Amino acid sequence: MTDYIAQTSDNRNISYLDDEEASVWRRAKAAGMRVIRVITLKQWQLELLNAESHTAVEERIA
């Protein structure tokens, strides 16, 4: 089982524990969500860290 994040058009991140990404898409859409993309929790955390490091660099430059 893998932790996935379904990112929605209204800027929500919904966590699902599942065996496959396609199943997460189906579950989120069946729940009425407009899904933009599905990524693993690890990918999401890495993107968040990357965004935070860019913000820190921009603050130092300013």
Side-chain angles (χ1 to χ4, degrees):
M1 294 292 236
T2 302
D3 255 329
Y4 288 99
I5 301 291
Q7 295 184 321
T8 65
S9 61
D10 59 352
N11 214 21
R12 291 186 293 162
N13 295 307
I14 314 299
S15 178
Y16 288 96
L17 187 61
D18 211 305
D19 287 327
E20 60 180 280
E21 181 181 329
S23 178
V24 173
W25 279 96
R26 287 190 299 272
R27 288 171 61 190
K29 286 185 177 190
M33 294 180 224
R34 288 183 163 173
V35 180
I36 295 172
R37 68 181 183 156
V38 174
I39 59 174
T40 65
L41 178 61
K42 186 170 185 95
Q43 284 174 296
W44 182 78
Q45 290 169 331
L46 288 172
E47 288 180 12
L48 187 61
L49 285 172
N50 190 32
E52 288 174 355
S53 67
H54 280 283
T55 301
V57 168
E58 290 170 5
E59 288 174 356
R60 279 187 276 167
I61 292 172

